[in-house]
Amino acid sequence: MVHIADDGRTWLLSGPTSSYALHLTGADELLHLHWGPPITLADAGALAAAPLSGHRPFESPLDGGEEYPVEGGPRFVRPALSVRTDERRGTEWGFEGYDTEGDELRLRFADDGLAISLHYRMRGDVVERWVGVANDGHGRVELLRADAATWTLPDREGWRLSQLHGRWAAESRLATAPLTYGEKTIGSRRGHTGHQHLPWVALDTDATEERGEVYGCALGWSGSWRIAVAQLPDARVQITGGAGYDDSGLLLLAPGESYTSPVFAGLWSDGGFGGASRAWHAYQRAHVIPGAERDRPVLFNSWEATHFDISEEQQAALARRAAEIGVELFVVDDGWFGARTGDRAGLGDWTPNPDRFPHGLKPLADRVRGLGMRFGIWVEPEMVNPDSDLYRAHPDWVQHQPGRKRTEFRNQLVLNLARPDVREYLWERLDALLSSTPVDYVKWDFNRSFTDAGWPGEPYPQRLWTDHVHALYALLDRLRAAYPEVAFESCSGGGGRIDLGIMSRTDQVWTSDNTDPLDRLAIQHGLTQIHPARVMAAWVTDSPNTQLNGRVSSLRFRFVSAMAGVLGVGGDLTRWSAEELAEARRWVELYKEIRPVVQRGELYRLRPPAGGSSAVQYALDGEVVVLAWLQAQSYGEPVPAVRLRGLDPTASYECRETGEVLSGSVLLHHGLRTGLKGDLDATVLRLRRI
Ligand code: DGJ
């Protein structure tokens, strides 16, 4: 809901529990007024009447107060917008007007042929912001940087910054530290979102999991990006974020051309980190994730079971076992196409390997479907092995610098999706694949970062960083439109491409190549700060863990860990004993029963994994599910009861596992005993409001 003051210079956006306000001064300075609890237009007017802080030599009265600091003029903060023409650099903009369309507010500015629009849209309590820049003039304009937004926090002492950092097989780990003067930047200069940081930050001063103010910002962009959190000399804090890692040039805009930034979303919550997460989850379920109301099926993925060594008979044997334990979707991972018998060859040649699948994939797909499951395949369309028919035919289709070595990672190169011929080739191949085989699910992988991002012959080669992402999005959009029943998974060597941008085009994400059930608890704890369980894929794999660390863990522990998200199975089922298969079947059945609550319910992180025992609660329509884990018991001490959250204190709840009936008040205040003991123990507790 957008409210506008009579003078048309103060705007107030309101969500269910929050407000956001901004004001344009008589000198066309666009100032931030408020982001926090609900206020009225009159309150916003009072805030707008307060004068800018007094002048001091060497300081700008605008710094720290502007909605979108451009480069040039009396400013010293990091500019959100930086442009260069043949004559000059920087922006001196004048206000042109505003308009609203539904929930969206658009403020229009102009500077000598350059049209700049700032966009605001409230989705629940999430404010979506983005910017548009159009060259309406006669000369060319180089867009050096165009951040999506700058967020301004209220004056407080002792800000802390939380981030989700990591690396391959160790993504999404939560780290919190005091913010100090200067600037902290996180981002990716790799061409994809990256395993190193999720594009999310949260700022608080004294919040806990369930109480206190938390400001969060998350970027919807799947290429290189940067979020800069600055504490200015007067202690004010601003957060600026957008596409691209540095300011060396995004695009060259010819007359008539324009750029639209990705969305940089912001959320204020006074419900602590848990409240903030639940608001982010609700926002994504309602506005970002396609078809979020449909629960995700239990899948089997062949990667850890068979790696590159696959055949139709062996996959069919796995499929029979998978069907027996209740799997609903069978996904053949890498190794089914071209000469892909290892990671040295075949990427780019998207036709079934004739030795392995002499009649194509259809016979296997039919067998899988005959077993009552859906059928999925793995692809990595943006890549090519030099040892492939595609590369032999088109060595110029990859990103490369003229006359320089082409850097290989995992023996592969990155295709230049900015080229229309490459885009068209990929569309044709994927279209042929999906139209010739009954495929219900596509796992879309991306297994190396950009290094030699050159484009010989192109006058402005660095545009490929931006164009690649737009091409990827366009390809996914086109495929989704042509095959609306096919679901897509975003994978990048695990969690290397997880952000709100890819989330709006895919149905779930591969959280991490780390399938160790204990490590996963910390990774999942981090990922759920921003993303809901509904997209967080997790597989039960073999014990000892083959992928990473050889850790031995029970099937119980592995299942309960993976049941915290979208359950999958990735072990070599042909080697599981009859008892293990029978137990797996019971866990899959249990998961299907609790799935609506896990995937659609409100998520409460009851106890973080760092302490050795941890628990997560999901609640939906009076149904409550608690998953609890114990790493190692010490001194025979009983594991403390977990206090539940979000219950009605006056209602009674029955625990299905123990038969106990307890009041909401007791469960909230004293908690629920989990009965965990020993090492690597885990449990599922279901409660129902009676
Ligand atoms: C990386 C993915 O994260 C794995 O799950 C698997 O699909 C491999 N790539 C296949 O090459």
Side-chain angles (χ1 to χ4, degrees), residues 375-427:
F375 181 68
I377 50 164
W378 177 98
V379 293
E380 193 178 2
E382 298 149 90
M383 300 290 167
V384 66
N385 285 121
D387 185 358
S388 66
D389 293 342
L390 178 64
Y391 188 75
R392 280 183 283 275
H394 299 286
D396 52 332
W397 277 13
V398 297
Q399 299 177 354
H400 66 284
Q401 302 286 352
R404 293 277 163 88
K405 202 165 73 200
R406 301 177 182 197
T407 310
E408 292 180 24
F409 275 97
R410 211 192 188 208
N411 309 302
Q412 63 194 57
L413 300 167
V414 187
L415 287 171
N416 182 0
L417 264 65
R419 292 177 59 125
D421 45 6
V422 174
R423 294 202 292 265
E424 206 40 41
Y425 169 81
L426 291 180
W427 159 255

Side-chain angles (χ1 to χ4, degrees), residues 20 70 96 122 138 234 253 315 323 404 489 526 544 641 683:
Y20 190 96
V70 296
E96 292 279 293
M122 202 95 187
H138 302 292
D234 62 1
L253 299 180
Q315 294 295 304
R404 293 277 163 88
E489 169 181 327
T683 192

Side-chain angles (χ1 to χ4, degrees), residues 168 171 195 301-304 307-308 332-335 337 340 343 347 378-380 410 412 443-447 489-496 510-515 539 547:
W168 176 80
E171 301 89 333
H195 301 80
N301 179 290
S302 69
W303 177 244
E304 285 200 31
H307 285 98
F308 290 106
V332 178
D333 208 280
D334 205 345
F337 53 91
R340 188 77 170 168
D343 65 14
L347 269 184
W378 177 98
V379 293
E380 193 178 2
R410 211 192 188 208
Q412 63 194 57
K443 173 177 174 180
W444 188 297
D445 208 343
F446 182 93
N447 277 303
E489 169 181 327
S490 171
C491 172
S492 170
W510 181 222
T511 310
S512 175
D513 272 348
N514 185 339
T515 57
W539 307 338
Q547 186 75 0

Side-chain angles (χ1 to χ4, degrees), residues 66-83:
E66 283 190 297
E67 275 291 293
Y68 194 74
V70 296
E71 185 180 29
R75 303 172 178 93
F76 305 106
V77 290
R78 176 187 281 283
L81 181 70
S82 182
V83 296

Side-chain angles (χ1 to χ4, degrees), residues 40-354:
T40 63
L41 205 49
D43 295 330
L47 289 168
L52 287 175
S53 56
H55 279 269
R56 280 173 179 243
F58 298 103
E59 282 180 26
S60 161
L62 295 176
D63 282 355
E66 283 190 297
E67 275 291 293
Y68 194 74
V70 296
E71 185 180 29
R75 303 172 178 93
F76 305 106
V77 290
R78 176 187 281 283
L81 181 70
S82 182
V83 296
R84 179 162 60 193
T85 63
D86 289 337
E87 284 95 46
R88 56 184 168 241
R89 182 174 168 144
T91 303
E92 198 174 80
W93 58 358
F95 183 59
E96 292 279 293
Y98 73 90
D99 49 88
T100 57
E101 198 183 319
D103 287 347
E104 185 184 332
L105 167 68
R106 265 192 304 264
L107 306 180
R108 289 177 278 107
F109 297 82
D111 175 24
D112 194 19
L114 197 67
I116 302 147
S117 52
L118 305 186
H119 302 250
Y120 295 80
R121 184 168 57 196
M122 202 95 187
R123 295 278 197 217
D125 282 312
V126 169
V127 187
E128 292 183 337
R129 293 183 56 187
W130 68 100
V131 67
V133 182
N135 181 356
D136 289 347
H138 302 292
R140 57 189 197 151
V141 175
E142 187 179 9
L143 203 54
L144 297 167
R145 176 110 203 143
D147 279 305
T150 292
W151 299 95
T152 304
L153 302 188
D155 293 339
R156 300 273 189 277
E157 279 179 19
W159 284 110
R160 298 185 300 186
L161 170 67
S162 296
Q163 60 186 107
L164 294 167
H165 77 105
R167 56 201 300 213
W168 176 80
E171 301 89 333
S172 315
R173 285 172 301 148
L174 181 64
T176 301
L179 196 65
T180 53
Y181 288 96
E183 199 176 57
K184 165 92 179 178
T185 62
I186 60 168
S188 156
R189 52 188 308 173
R190 296 163 180 263
H192 60 121
T193 324
H195 301 80
Q196 291 67 27
H197 304 279
L198 260 76
W200 168 89
V201 289
L203 287 114
D204 77 297
T205 56
D206 56 1
T208 62
E209 181 66 17
E210 290 304 319
R211 264 181 288 279
E213 282 191 312
V214 176
Y215 286 86
C217 302
L219 194 64
W221 183 244
S222 312
S224 292
W225 58 277
R226 183 180 69 206
I227 296 177
V229 183
Q231 181 165 328
L232 303 174
D234 62 1
R236 294 191 86 173
V237 173
Q238 287 193 313
I239 304 149
T240 300
Y245 186 77
D246 54 26
D247 306 353
S248 62
L250 272 182
L251 292 172
L252 196 61
L253 299 180
E257 288 185 340
S258 62
Y259 168 76
T260 303
S261 79
V263 166
F264 194 21
L267 169 78
W268 171 85
S269 164
D270 70 350
F273 286 89
S277 299
R278 287 186 287 282
W280 278 122
H281 299 173
Y283 159 69
Q284 287 165 75
R285 280 196 297 258
H287 301 289
V288 179
I289 303 161
E293 69 290 349
R294 288 193 300 272
D295 292 342
R296 299 299 312 146
V298 177
L299 67 72
F300 176 87
N301 179 290
S302 69
W303 177 244
E304 285 200 31
T306 51
H307 285 98
F308 290 106
D309 188 13
I310 70 175
S311 71
E312 187 180 321
E313 277 318 311
Q314 162 230 46
Q315 294 295 304
L318 279 168
R320 280 194 297 278
R321 288 285 171 99
E324 267 165 46
I325 64 168
V327 164
E328 299 160 309
L329 163 66
F330 183 87
V331 183
V332 178
D333 208 280
D334 205 345
W336 60 265
F337 53 91
R340 188 77 170 168
T341 53
D343 65 14
R344 303 200 70 83
L347 269 184
D349 301 336
W350 299 109
T351 43
N353 178 308

